[in-house]
Amino acid sequence: MPATRYLYVTRHAEAAADESALTEAGRRQAALLGERLAGVGLTAVRHGPSARAEETARIVCERVGGVSAEAAEEAGDYPPYLPRREELPAESADATVERLAGLSAEERAAGPALARAAEARFTGPAEGDEARHELVVTHAFLAAWLVRDALDAPAWRWIGLNHANTGLTVIRYPPGRPAALTLFNDLGHLPEELRRPGYPPELRA
């Protein structure tokens, strides 16, 4: 009989401008996230292939103890779904389509298949008879997609679900019941100066 899966989803910590490593603030964010997760009993930590996701996951594992980080292509940085113009709200459709068109052809082509692979690997009840607590260190797009999927919202609705650096989202997947979003983009582990650096004021509530 399957068991409940608790999926902890976070966006990587703040990265340097060239995205080759975390900033000092980012390393502090990752360490504080690890301290927050130290008591939940993580059974797996997976991260996207980027340097900023890998470093975030490594620092979290150092604070948690007893678990090692594992790279996962499905946790990478890509658009999970490219909506048609007619799916989108009329007032924002043109701007959204234009913004997504600015992504590389490679990202646009690979994204949907990777999103399906992420759903298959990370979501739903876990195998075995014991609850599992799993962390995915990813990027804003996939974090939004996993939330959208848990809520069974329209495919385009991943757009507009913003995630801050090391914002913590928790999704519960109990056997035989719908997924439950129990926490979304929570920053309770960060002091004020480490919350949403670089974000415009309207996203800092």
Side-chain angles (χ1 to χ4, degrees):
M1 181 177 178
T4 297
R5 183 199 309 260
Y6 294 86
L7 185 67
Y8 300 76
V9 182
T10 191
R11 183 186 176 196
H12 62 82
E14 182 186 65
D18 65 1
E19 299 183 342
S20 63
L22 300 182
T23 63
E24 178 57 35
R27 289 188 288 273
R28 289 176 60 203
Q29 290 172 332
L32 290 167
L33 176 61
E35 291 172 12
R36 178 174 183 176
L37 295 174
V40 305
L42 288 178
T43 50
V45 175
R46 302 184 178 95
H47 62 82
S50 71
R52 57 198 187 277
E54 185 279 332
E55 187 176 0
T56 301
R58 177 175 53 78
I59 293 172
V60 167
C61 287
E62 289 172 356
R63 297 306 191 278
V64 168
V67 64
S68 298
E70 174 188 357
E73 184 181 12
E74 306 95 325
D77 191 9
Y78 55 81
Y81 178 78
L82 299 168
R84 301 183 305 276
R85 188 183 303 271
E86 58 268 25
E87 293 179 81
L88 299 166
E91 63 273 15
S92 61
D94 288 344
T96 298
V97 169
E98 181 178 353
R99 183 170 69 254
L100 294 176
L103 299 171
S104 72
E106 182 180 359
E107 289 175 310
R108 291 165 58 84
L114 285 169
R116 290 191 296 272
E119 289 178 33
R121 185 171 184 182
F122 303 142
T123 73
E127 296 181 1
D129 54 6
E130 293 186 1
R132 290 185 59 83
H133 295 260
E134 303 175 354
L135 171 66
V136 175
V137 180
T138 184
H139 301 263
F141 284 1
L142 182 62
W145 179 256
L146 293 172
V147 170
R148 178 224 63 83
D149 177 68
L151 297 176
D152 199 24
W156 71 268
R157 199 59 187 87
W158 68 273
I159 296 167
L161 296 175
N162 298 294
H163 274 75
N165 296 118
T166 70
L168 184 61
T169 288
V170 183
I171 305 170
R172 182 174 181 265
Y173 297 96
R177 297 173 60 188
L181 181 65
T182 62
L183 196 67
F184 176 70
N185 196 31
D186 188 84
L187 297 172
H189 50 287
L190 299 182
E192 183 62 35
E193 67 271 16
L194 293 180
R195 299 184 182 191
R196 299 184 183 270
Y199 271 53
E202 64 270 18
L203 295 181
R204 296 190 182 190

